Amino acid sequence: MKISLNWLKRHLEIKASVEEISSKLTNLGFEVEGIEESGKVYGGLLIAEVLECVPHPDSDHLSLAKVFDGKENLQIVCGAPNVRAGIKAVLAPIGIELPFPDGKNLKIKKSKIRGYESFGMLCAEDEIGLSDNHDGILILPSDAPVGKPFTELGYYDTVFELNVTPNRPDALSHLGIARELSEPRCPRLKDLPDSTPRSLLPTPIKLTITAPAACPRYVGRIINNVKIAPSPEWMQRLLKAVGINPINNVVDITNFILMDIGQPLHSFDLGKLSGGEIVVRFAKEGEKFTTLDGKEHVLQSTDLAICDGNRPACLAGVMGGLESEITEETKDVFLEAAFFNPTIVRKQAKRLGLSTDSSYRFERGVDFELQNFASDYACSLIAEFTGGTVAEQKLEFVSPEHLPKRFAVPLREERIEKLLGIKIPLEQAKKLLEGIGVKEIMPSWRFDLEREADLIEELARLTGYDKIPYDVPSFKAEPNELPLQEKINRKIRHSLSALGLHECLSLRFTSKKKTEWVFGNSEDKRAKPAELLNPLSEELAVLPTSLLPNLIFSAAENAKHQKSIRLFEVSKAQFPTPETASEKDPGFEEIPLLGIVYAEAKMDFLQFKGLLTAFFKRLHISVNFEAPEISEVFLHPGRSAVLKLGKKILGCCGELHPAVQNKFDLKINTFVCEIDLSILEIAFLKPVSFKEFSRQMIIERDVSIEADESVSHAELLSKFKGFNPKYLAGIELLSVYQGEKIAAGKKNLLYRFYYQAPDRTLTDDEINAVHTKLRERIAGAGLVLR
């Protein structure tokens, strides 16, 4: 929000310096993000009077001017066609530098022009940064004080760039900021003189409001016989200072009122409105409307429009229509001042991608009692600057039940002291609040004041935050215990990072297409993600039911640039819960998951299994890898496993199905794993007990077994452990052989058994006895020893 210092001076006298104003605004809660002082570089310019002016003897376009600068008479050689005796002008004396738009500076020096000395320069507007005009020198008012700095006349401005928080729409105007800066804090515009020409002719148009909840207040005025021309110079300067380009007198006045008191207005060319009626209604579905920027929009039934008898002429609170804009041919003006529902304006501005100064204020809420005053104020200026006549009759509509309500908020002295830590007597608090318009009821321009705490916050702001004492709280700080799931997540991240994997952080949305690529159209609940009502894009259109679609996509993108991709992610999947009798809207169940994707050309399933085994070992968890009864649709049917924690299924792992790899355009071996971390919690809930490890020597014995190729390693391992041999410390599979030296359908497995006692070194006789007994039990189980 840009605030002009010259504009503020129209509302109150300001004697403070720019630095003091900036500090005060910041202390009041309006952070000053920047200050632009356009006149700072022109501080050396003086107001001078031309006493005499004669033609240059050796030139047909130069003049010799005798100029008084307040101290002495100077001779100036000037080429401006409008220089003459008796005028007052801007003098650039010898020694100052004038900045030019190209970044260069012109230093004023004593010079000789065609034989005559010149002791300075009389300046045109473009030479002193006021405009692009170079038709002649700038002629100042006759009462301008000679010898004074030119910057004191107010041609230059100081502009503050303020950060106004969304809860303070009242501060989006110069009146709002003046109200905050004033001492006492109650400035108001001067009463307008009751001298506006009035027409007693009946208003040739009627007003119909069919959407009172969306437009609870509307004021329309007609101004006849206007003459469209440029607005006064002072108004153009103020508008330019805050970044608004002047257009013509009528449009500039509506923009001036907007920035001055915060009420958006809109002016229509009355001659271009047909049907003799103004209708405020919701648009018809598919109705087309062309805005002032020349773009055509297709409206929906939720868009609020200001229409004539036949078609939309303005999108309420956002932007006017091209067909009814004010032009040089305009003779009669219809002026609108309204209060629109902020939600309606915000939704239609966002949907149509339009953001204007008007919508910015309507979205946050304008003063709902300001419309009549703003209309009268604008009509007075239009009549003055266009010579038009304001119709006596107003078109006015009010729906009190749909307007915001003004109400009283209680305030207690003890509550003030409790929240702020300082004592503010109730009478003093009332005076401070009355200064910003808070009396018995809340002012119509302060939507944010709803409860006692809001008033106390205002008191803190008005009193000064620096006056509120602060103390270091005297309590013993103790670290809180982390939730179990967060402990697990941290341990997972540390373990996988130590194993060379990189954590991936995905957006909490995914695409329906990627989900289908992984899970197909099966009955698996992961194949049916919940869709967003208003997605940012098709790529972010559904809630994730698995971490794998995004992880596999990330791996595919990375595989275009590198040969080894090792990613993991710890996050949640969302599943809609079914509706119940007591709840119309379904909720969502969140399941914490760990997803792993490992893509590398020479990787195989055993290596990936080894990685996962090392990972679980770091977590101190015993997980079994078992062949799946039904393979996951996204995994290779012969190279996958189910992960079990006891009897519970923890997740799955394996090589990605070739069909899925093709859809993601992955050309290297890719292995994936997904784990339900809510199941993993079971292992962490078990109490940890210390078991002293043995310091004795380990003795090894090997056993070679022939078995059917359908018999898995897990089944054999389970059998061996079921025999419960004495002193057994571990079992390791060394090799698996299938080939010419063994019968078809068979395989040879070489196992190594480790024996160890906790308190002594075992003898060969003890080990041989135990191992022989184990071999006998293996043979008795139908397995062939080799």
Side-chain angles (χ1 to χ4, degrees), residues 296-310:
E296 185 178 78
H297 302 274
V298 178
L299 303 183
Q300 295 181 356
S301 59
T302 55
D303 296 327
L304 186 67
I306 315 301
C307 310
D308 60 14
N310 300 318

PDB file of all heavy atoms in Angstrom, residues 296-310:
ATOM      1  N   GLU A 296     -12.436 -11.118 -22.658  1.00  0.00           N
ATOM      2  CA  GLU A 296     -13.788 -11.663 -22.532  1.00  0.00           C
ATOM      3  C   GLU A 296     -13.795 -12.794 -21.505  1.00  0.00           C
ATOM      4  O   GLU A 296     -12.913 -13.651 -21.505  1.00  0.00           O
ATOM      5  CB  GLU A 296     -14.290 -12.177 -23.884  1.00  0.00           C
ATOM      6  CG  GLU A 296     -15.737 -12.650 -23.838  1.00  0.00           C
ATOM      7  CD  GLU A 296     -16.248 -13.105 -25.190  1.00  0.00           C
ATOM      8  OE1 GLU A 296     -15.890 -14.249 -25.594  1.00  0.00           O
ATOM      9  OE2 GLU A 296     -16.973 -12.355 -25.826  1.00  0.00           O
ATOM     10  N   HIS A 297     -14.795 -12.786 -20.641  1.00  0.00           N
ATOM     11  CA  HIS A 297     -14.920 -13.794 -19.599  1.00  0.00           C
ATOM     12  C   HIS A 297     -16.280 -14.479 -19.712  1.00  0.00           C
ATOM     13  O   HIS A 297     -17.281 -13.844 -20.045  1.00  0.00           O
ATOM     14  CB  HIS A 297     -14.787 -13.163 -18.212  1.00  0.00           C
ATOM     15  CG  HIS A 297     -13.489 -12.443 -17.999  1.00  0.00           C
ATOM     16  ND1 HIS A 297     -12.335 -13.074 -17.578  1.00  0.00           N
ATOM     17  CD2 HIS A 297     -13.154 -11.136 -18.160  1.00  0.00           C
ATOM     18  CE1 HIS A 297     -11.359 -12.197 -17.486  1.00  0.00           C
ATOM     19  NE2 HIS A 297     -11.824 -11.008 -17.831  1.00  0.00           N
ATOM     20  N   VAL A 298     -16.267 -15.777 -19.425  1.00  0.00           N
ATOM     21  CA  VAL A 298     -17.521 -16.535 -19.364  1.00  0.00           C
ATOM     22  C   VAL A 298     -17.921 -16.625 -17.893  1.00  0.00           C
ATOM     23  O   VAL A 298     -17.197 -17.193 -17.074  1.00  0.00           O
ATOM     24  CB  VAL A 298     -17.347 -17.946 -19.973  1.00  0.00           C
ATOM     25  CG1 VAL A 298     -18.654 -18.721 -19.856  1.00  0.00           C
ATOM     26  CG2 VAL A 298     -16.904 -17.841 -21.431  1.00  0.00           C
ATOM     27  N   LEU A 299     -19.080 -16.062 -17.575  1.00  0.00           N
ATOM     28  CA  LEU A 299     -19.509 -15.974 -16.184  1.00  0.00           C
ATOM     29  C   LEU A 299     -20.240 -17.236 -15.738  1.00  0.00           C
ATOM     30  O   LEU A 299     -20.776 -17.987 -16.556  1.00  0.00           O
ATOM     31  CB  LEU A 299     -20.416 -14.749 -15.993  1.00  0.00           C
ATOM     32  CG  LEU A 299     -19.811 -13.394 -16.397  1.00  0.00           C
ATOM     33  CD1 LEU A 299     -20.785 -12.268 -16.093  1.00  0.00           C
ATOM     34  CD2 LEU A 299     -18.483 -13.156 -15.700  1.00  0.00           C
ATOM     35  N   GLN A 300     -20.255 -17.426 -14.426  1.00  0.00           N
ATOM     36  CA  GLN A 300     -20.998 -18.534 -13.830  1.00  0.00           C
ATOM     37  C   GLN A 300     -22.127 -17.978 -12.982  1.00  0.00           C
ATOM     38  O   GLN A 300     -22.185 -16.773 -12.693  1.00  0.00           O
ATOM     39  CB  GLN A 300     -20.064 -19.384 -12.969  1.00  0.00           C
ATOM     40  CG  GLN A 300     -18.971 -20.085 -13.747  1.00  0.00           C
ATOM     41  CD  GLN A 300     -18.075 -20.945 -12.865  1.00  0.00           C
ATOM     42  OE1 GLN A 300     -18.215 -20.965 -11.647  1.00  0.00           O
ATOM     43  NE2 GLN A 300     -17.142 -21.653 -13.480  1.00  0.00           N
ATOM     44  N   SER A 301     -23.016 -18.861 -12.562  1.00  0.00           N
ATOM     45  CA  SER A 301     -24.190 -18.429 -11.801  1.00  0.00           C
ATOM     46  C   SER A 301     -23.835 -17.913 -10.412  1.00  0.00           C
ATOM     47  O   SER A 301     -24.674 -17.353  -9.721  1.00  0.00           O
ATOM     48  CB  SER A 301     -25.190 -19.582 -11.689  1.00  0.00           C
ATOM     49  OG  SER A 301     -24.581 -20.694 -11.055  1.00  0.00           O
ATOM     50  N   THR A 302     -22.567 -18.091  -9.987  1.00  0.00           N
ATOM     51  CA  THR A 302     -22.143 -17.589  -8.671  1.00  0.00           C
ATOM     52  C   THR A 302     -21.481 -16.222  -8.761  1.00  0.00           C
ATOM     53  O   THR A 302     -21.084 -15.662  -7.750  1.00  0.00           O
ATOM     54  CB  THR A 302     -21.154 -18.579  -8.035  1.00  0.00           C
ATOM     55  OG1 THR A 302     -20.063 -18.804  -8.939  1.00  0.00           O
ATOM     56  CG2 THR A 302     -21.830 -19.901  -7.714  1.00  0.00           C
ATOM     57  N   ASP A 303     -21.344 -15.675  -9.992  1.00  0.00           N
ATOM     58  CA  ASP A 303     -20.714 -14.367 -10.186  1.00  0.00           C
ATOM     59  C   ASP A 303     -21.763 -13.266 -10.060  1.00  0.00           C
ATOM     60  O   ASP A 303     -22.840 -13.347 -10.665  1.00  0.00           O
ATOM     61  CB  ASP A 303     -20.045 -14.284 -11.563  1.00  0.00           C
ATOM     62  CG  ASP A 303     -18.897 -15.264 -11.700  1.00  0.00           C
ATOM     63  OD1 ASP A 303     -18.229 -15.536 -10.691  1.00  0.00           O
ATOM     64  OD2 ASP A 303     -18.664 -15.763 -12.821  1.00  0.00           O
ATOM     65  N   LEU A 304     -21.446 -12.231  -9.287  1.00  0.00           N
ATOM     66  CA  LEU A 304     -22.358 -11.103  -9.099  1.00  0.00           C
ATOM     67  C   LEU A 304     -22.023 -10.030 -10.120  1.00  0.00           C
ATOM     68  O   LEU A 304     -20.870  -9.614 -10.252  1.00  0.00           O
ATOM     69  CB  LEU A 304     -22.237 -10.546  -7.684  1.00  0.00           C
ATOM     70  CG  LEU A 304     -23.234  -9.445  -7.303  1.00  0.00           C
ATOM     71  CD1 LEU A 304     -24.651 -10.007  -7.246  1.00  0.00           C
ATOM     72  CD2 LEU A 304     -22.858  -8.819  -5.968  1.00  0.00           C
ATOM     73  N   ALA A 305     -23.046  -9.557 -10.840  1.00  0.00           N
ATOM     74  CA  ALA A 305     -22.837  -8.582 -11.906  1.00  0.00           C
ATOM     75  C   ALA A 305     -23.762  -7.390 -11.723  1.00  0.00           C
ATOM     76  O   ALA A 305     -24.876  -7.517 -11.198  1.00  0.00           O
ATOM     77  CB  ALA A 305     -23.068  -9.226 -13.270  1.00  0.00           C
ATOM     78  N   ILE A 306     -23.288  -6.217 -12.172  1.00  0.00           N
ATOM     79  CA  ILE A 306     -24.109  -5.021 -12.271  1.00  0.00           C
ATOM     80  C   ILE A 306     -24.531  -4.938 -13.733  1.00  0.00           C
ATOM     81  O   ILE A 306     -23.678  -4.832 -14.616  1.00  0.00           O
ATOM     82  CB  ILE A 306     -23.334  -3.749 -11.865  1.00  0.00           C
ATOM     83  CG1 ILE A 306     -22.539  -3.980 -10.577  1.00  0.00           C
ATOM     84  CG2 ILE A 306     -24.276  -2.572 -11.735  1.00  0.00           C
ATOM     85  CD1 ILE A 306     -23.364  -4.373  -9.384  1.00  0.00           C
ATOM     86  N   CYS A 307     -25.822  -4.996 -13.985  1.00  0.00           N
ATOM     87  CA  CYS A 307     -26.324  -5.100 -15.357  1.00  0.00           C
ATOM     88  C   CYS A 307     -27.228  -3.925 -15.692  1.00  0.00           C
ATOM     89  O   CYS A 307     -27.825  -3.294 -14.808  1.00  0.00           O
ATOM     90  CB  CYS A 307     -27.106  -6.404 -15.544  1.00  0.00           C
ATOM     91  SG  CYS A 307     -26.243  -7.882 -14.964  1.00  0.00           S
ATOM     92  N   ASP A 308     -27.314  -3.624 -17.001  1.00  0.00           N
ATOM     93  CA  ASP A 308     -28.374  -2.724 -17.446  1.00  0.00           C
ATOM     94  C   ASP A 308     -29.592  -3.588 -17.764  1.00  0.00           C
ATOM     95  O   ASP A 308     -29.676  -4.738 -17.307  1.00  0.00           O
ATOM     96  CB  ASP A 308     -27.912  -1.865 -18.628  1.00  0.00           C
ATOM     97  CG  ASP A 308     -27.507  -2.700 -19.845  1.00  0.00           C
ATOM     98  OD1 ASP A 308     -27.830  -3.910 -19.875  1.00  0.00           O
ATOM     99  OD2 ASP A 308     -26.871  -2.142 -20.766  1.00  0.00           O
ATOM    100  N   GLY A 309     -30.512  -3.091 -18.522  1.00  0.00           N
ATOM    101  CA  GLY A 309     -31.705  -3.887 -18.778  1.00  0.00           C
ATOM    102  C   GLY A 309     -31.472  -5.126 -19.592  1.00  0.00           C
ATOM    103  O   GLY A 309     -32.324  -6.024 -19.631  1.00  0.00           O
ATOM    104  N   ASN A 310     -30.292  -5.231 -20.260  1.00  0.00           N
ATOM    105  CA  ASN A 310     -30.068  -6.343 -21.179  1.00  0.00           C
ATOM    106  C   ASN A 310     -28.864  -7.217 -20.856  1.00  0.00           C
ATOM    107  O   ASN A 310     -28.904  -8.425 -21.057  1.00  0.00           O
ATOM    108  CB  ASN A 310     -29.891  -5.788 -22.613  1.00  0.00           C
ATOM    109  CG  ASN A 310     -31.116  -5.028 -23.085  1.00  0.00           C
ATOM    110  OD1 ASN A 310     -32.245  -5.458 -22.855  1.00  0.00           O
ATOM    111  ND2 ASN A 310     -30.898  -3.877 -23.719  1.00  0.00           N
TER     112      ASN A 310
END
